[in-house]
Amino acid sequence: MKPTKNLLLLFLFLSGISLNAQKKATKTIAPKEQFIAELMAKMTIDEKIGQLNLPTSGDITTGQANSSNVAKNIEQGKVGGLFNIKSVAKIKEVQKIAVEKSRLKIPLLFGMDVIHGYETTFPIPLGLSCTWDMNAIKRSAQIAAQEASADGINWTFSPMVDISRDPRWGRVSEGSGEDAYLGSQVAKAMVTGYQGDDLSKNNTLLSCVKHFALYGAPEAGRDYNTVDMSRIRMYNEYFPPYKAAIDAGVGSVMASFNEIDGIPATGNKWLMTDVLRKQWGFKGFVVTDYTGIMEMEYHGVGDLQTVSALALKAGIEMDMVSDGFLGTLKKSLDEGKVTIQEIDRAVRLILNAKYDLGLFHDPYRYCDEKRAKTEIFTTLNRSEARKIAAQSLVLLKNDNQLLPLKKSGTVAVIGPLADAKENMAGTWSVATKQENSISLLAGIQSVVGTSAKVLYAKGSNLDYDEQLEERATMFGKTLHRDKRTKEELLSEAVKIANQSDVIILAIGESAEFSGESSSRTNIKIPQAQKDLLAALQKTGKPIVLTLFTGRPLDLTDENATVPAILNTWFAGSEAGYAIADVLFGNENPSGKLTMTFPRTIGQIPIYYAAKNTGRPLGNKEGKFEKFKTNYIDERNEPLFPFGFGLSYTTFSYGNLSISSNKMAANETIKVSVPVTNSGNYDGKEVVQLYIRDVVGSVTRPIKELKGFQKIEFKKGETKTVTFEITIDDLKFYNSDLQFVAEPGKFEVFIGTNSDTTSKIEFDLVN
Ligand code: BGC
């Protein structure tokens, strides 16, 4: 026999063993409804309320699980799930307590913030969305699910789909930017990536879409702040991605911290029951965010007992960390403040999820220690992550084709983010082993090998303010603050710059400068790094600004003086390789912004799908016009619009053509455009289609994204790109919140970013 055949037989033999093992572990149990009805008939009221309780893992570590407080609660049936415990061994041990020591042996859910990968870490979600590649995004979720489920996790608190148009808000890094249509596509890709087609498979995760709702619109961009928004805006601009996740079958939803119409989301019955369940038909369960119930006391809507009852009655099923359900629901039941039907409804939904995950069939389904050893941070997963990361980078400027760089001569790699592996994964990367991430310096050294000489200097700290740096480098994401003086750091950097042919300057934000509770009032590059840039500019050497950031920044100064800017976000565990691949031309950048970059913070909120207003500006050259909607001290346009991103090649767009200039509601029409790769490299282009509803019963945005295709073009190649427009692309929520398409004129724009003016018209007829 040939060796390959031997291997095949061995594989079949081993898979047979594991299939048999799985079969043995899998119990045959009654169908779902019957099984859960029978189980609930046995449950005491305390056991029922226990299923609605989601504490953190607290003091559980391997070996002492049995003696911990959480363990006691599990034994007594007071816990429905736990979150953010890492390692299959610990999870197995804790699951054992639930299924061997609790009276009814109900297995636990194990949740985690698996936000952009597990140990193999993908770009932060804002970066991932800039790939505009839904297959890549779905693949990142599949790999995350494969790795997390191999380590005992069965539930992820992802995707975060909060639309945001305010880069001051630190959590823009965790979402997909400003656009409802793109955000909806990403939501669907993530949910289907995590959950697959069968939740009970041991390599899928229950997904949790968050934070429902409107969390991305806090006043002043300050995290957790008040949200106040018209219903028409909610339905048209902020709700679609949550709804897309529900339509894709997401199994759970997380409530947001903010209030909506004066009632905190966690206690908002209109939101949780009328919208989510009655209008959208959601069948899974809703969990609060961390201490969401308890926080309603601070919002000022009642004491813990009152707000816990409010949450249950609103439609919340699981209490994360507040101990509000556990501590007060029984009393509320006795006092007639909640009903047993309300409690039962919630319990049933939690048990349904456990059933769907296959936990009643086999509570250890996700606890296969062999998988944990072989399926996490694998070479294969990392190579996929490297490719995906390269696609998330956005080339903002490239004068005189400074990029790609040649793999020769001497390259100076300078900046506080250059040798910063702890920061590469970005915010919300709890499972990442930071020491395994690839820094930019390491990535460059690996990609250029011995072909070029690489010099390194730090050049500056993140900021002159040491305390700010501490706050922006939490959770071990240190930048190893350098104690040398500013002058010493600068002079070392200038010295190596003078010995080099080109400078790769790695500056911007650290990983925890964005993310939860990291709002900023200033979105410029910190002054210490601006000073470093200025000192290096004096050397006259060409500079490639390699930007690290979790949010759109004000790059007006840098854009005016630096020849090349590559925005790299935080590209994950493989960041250094991916960035070096792009800098040195192994990969051609193809990312496009999913959030507008303002010229100045004063323009915020700034987004492409704005309204025309009654006094639109008559020019696009930035000329001030009195009594028109503009600023006296700044032009209206952003620095970089939504959808913007350059390539090493160029794409030229021909004239648009349309299959008909009239469309009836039951018809579709096609709009086409020839696109040519007119430059010198093969490359990918995101061809974008926007629609304007010219006259409506309510005012409509000047442009809305309604389609996009990411297409590969060989050098010199022309392809005709065709989009089909259906009636759904023309619908919006009117002032009665009905989803309608109104007859009349529509404009269709196709181009390389949201600024495109190339358009064609048609009429929707009755
Ligand atoms: C965040 C959520 C997260 C939860 C659990 C909260 O502070 O807002 O996004 O899922 O913590 O870690």
Side-chain angles (χ1 to χ4, degrees), residues 54 56 83-84 112-113 115 156-158 160 162 171 174 208 210-211 215 223-224 254-255 257 288-291 295 320-321 428 430 516:
L54 178 69
T56 51
F83 67 102
N84 288 353
M112 189 186 257
D113 289 285
I115 307 294
T156 174
F157 303 141
S158 172
M160 191 278 222
D162 304 315
R171 298 195 83 170
E174 290 176 60
C208 181
K210 68 189 189 188
H211 307 81
Y215 182 40
D223 208 0
Y224 319 124
M254 187 184 291
F257 288 126
T288 72
D289 201 347
Y290 204 102
T291 58
E295 289 177 26
M320 186 193 285
V321 182
W428 269 124
V430 284
E516 186 168 355

Side-chain angles (χ1 to χ4, degrees), residues 102-296:
S102 74
R103 192 179 74 92
L104 292 173
K105 310 186 182 337
I106 302 175
L108 300 171
L109 292 172
F110 287 95
M112 189 186 257
D113 289 285
V114 182
I115 307 294
H116 48 112
Y118 191 69
E119 284 191 23
T120 301
T121 313
F122 294 89
I124 54 169
L126 184 58
L128 209 48
S129 69
C130 291
T131 64
W132 296 62
D133 181 338
M134 297 307 122
N135 293 328
I137 291 174
K138 182 171 176 178
R139 190 68 199 123
S140 77
Q142 279 169 342
I143 292 174
Q146 180 207 1
E147 292 197 0
S149 65
D151 219 9
I153 302 296
N154 48 43
W155 181 25
T156 174
F157 303 141
S158 172
M160 191 278 222
V161 303
D162 304 315
I163 295 295
S164 186
R165 292 157 172 190
D166 192 335
R168 293 171 298 183
W169 189 53
R171 298 195 83 170
V172 297
S173 52
E174 290 176 60
S176 297
E178 71 186 46
D179 186 62
Y181 179 85
L182 182 74
S184 300
Q185 309 300 316
V186 174
K188 183 175 159 197
M190 295 292 284
V191 170
T192 52
Y194 288 133
Q195 296 194 161
D197 53 7
D198 178 359
L199 257 192
S200 75
K201 285 193 182 148
N202 70 354
N203 61 359
T204 56
L205 296 178
L206 175 69
S207 165
C208 181
V209 65
K210 68 189 189 188
H211 307 81
F212 191 57
L214 319 181
Y215 182 40
E219 286 178 356
R222 201 179 72 221
D223 208 0
Y224 319 124
N225 203 8
T226 307
V227 171
D228 193 6
M229 190 185 287
S230 68
R231 294 248 162 129
I232 200 164
R233 175 165 256 182
M234 293 179 200
Y235 275 82
N236 281 313
E237 300 169 36
Y238 283 73
F239 276 175
Y242 307 110
K243 182 167 186 300
I246 308 300
D247 292 343
V250 74
S252 63
V253 169
M254 187 184 291
S256 58
F257 288 126
N258 53 280
E259 66 175 65
I260 290 172
D261 291 336
I263 302 174
T266 310
N268 195 314
K269 189 166 191 176
W270 171 75
L271 186 71
M272 296 300 169
T273 300
D274 296 355
V275 176
L276 186 62
R277 299 204 181 267
K278 294 190 184 151
Q279 293 173 21
W280 296 354
F282 176 59
K283 301 270 184 296
F285 72 90
V286 184
V287 62
T288 72
D289 201 347
Y290 204 102
T291 58
I293 290 180
M294 185 272 280
E295 289 177 26
M296 287 199 280

Side-chain angles (χ1 to χ4, degrees), residues 44 67 104 115 127 164 238 261 274 282 322 342 391 395 441 511 517 520 526 535 637 652 672 683:
T44 63
S67 61
L104 292 173
I115 307 294
S164 186
Y238 283 73
D261 291 336
D274 296 355
F282 176 59
S322 290
E342 285 162 343
Q391 283 208 67
L395 183 62
L441 181 61
S517 188
R520 291 183 68 183
E637 290 76 37
S652 45
S672 302

